[in-house]
Amino acid sequence: MTDRRQDHIWKTVQAVLREQRYQTRLALLEDLSFYVFRTDTNAVLASGIQGFEAAKSKANDLRKQNGLKWDQVKFKAERGRQSSIPGSAAASRQPFGVSRDGRTFANGSGETSSVDYAKRYNPSKGRRFRGYTDAQGNYHDID
């Protein structure tokens, strides 16, 4: 009798934990920005859709409007636009990496340094070796 009761309690605890994990995932997905695209042509049909459920319904609406099959329309989380979400961790993050003009580099702490380019060419990367010197005088390779 006690084994059945313990088994029932254990299954109940597992179900509650499973539901909590599911709700946490849904909450995280609602903070993301998504885009909808066609799988056969990779054409973007819509972008900047806030939240998983909104993206799912938008993808379904676009599929119906264009007369497409289920496997021809999909949606994914956008990578570059996540910083536009107010209050998220991505909004407070500093730019990281080499600047667009290739002259400065920002490390994970947000400190910027000038990029040094070597005379030698790196054939595996398709460009010259590059790195930067931090405030303490230590040299770091970028790639």
Side-chain angles (χ1 to χ4, degrees):
M1 182 83 163
T2 58
D3 288 338
R4 286 159 88 199
R5 189 171 184 188
Q6 287 176 346
D7 190 40
H8 175 70
I9 292 171
W10 178 245
K11 287 183 180 181
T12 305
V13 168
Q14 284 179 325
V16 168
L17 290 174
R18 199 176 305 120
E19 180 65 25
Q20 282 181 336
R21 281 194 302 263
Y22 178 73
Q23 293 298 328
T24 303
R25 285 185 192 133
L26 280 181
L28 290 174
L29 289 174
E30 290 304 317
D31 289 342
L32 295 177
S33 176
F34 291 86
Y35 69 98
V36 181
F37 65 99
R38 284 185 67 159
T39 57
D40 52 354
T41 62
N42 285 334
V44 176
L45 303 174
S47 62
I49 304 166
Q50 193 67 30
F52 178 81
E53 292 298 325
K56 188 166 66 170
S57 64
K58 182 68 171 180
N60 196 27
D61 293 342
L62 288 169
R63 181 191 63 80
K64 289 177 184 176
Q65 285 175 3
N66 297 325
L68 301 171
K69 295 180 181 177
W70 285 103
D71 60 344
Q72 288 180 307
V73 178
K74 290 191 178 186
F75 58 95
K76 281 187 176 180
E78 293 178 319
R79 291 186 178 185
R81 298 184 184 227
Q82 300 308 324
S83 62
S84 65
I85 302 168
S88 69
S92 62
R93 197 178 305 147
Q94 297 292 326
F96 176 75
V98 179
S99 64
R100 291 191 184 264
D101 63 1
R103 295 182 183 170
T104 59
F105 177 81
N107 64 11
S109 304
E111 301 167 356
T112 58
S113 301
S114 62
V115 176
D116 301 324
Y117 287 90
K119 293 178 184 176
R120 296 194 136 188
Y121 182 78
N122 186 350
S124 66
K125 298 285 184 183
R127 61 176 165 240
R128 298 186 183 277
F129 289 98
R130 56 189 183 163
Y132 72 99
T133 306
D134 63 11
Q136 289 79 28
N138 301 316
Y139 183 80
H140 304 276
D141 286 333
I142 294 176
D143 39 31

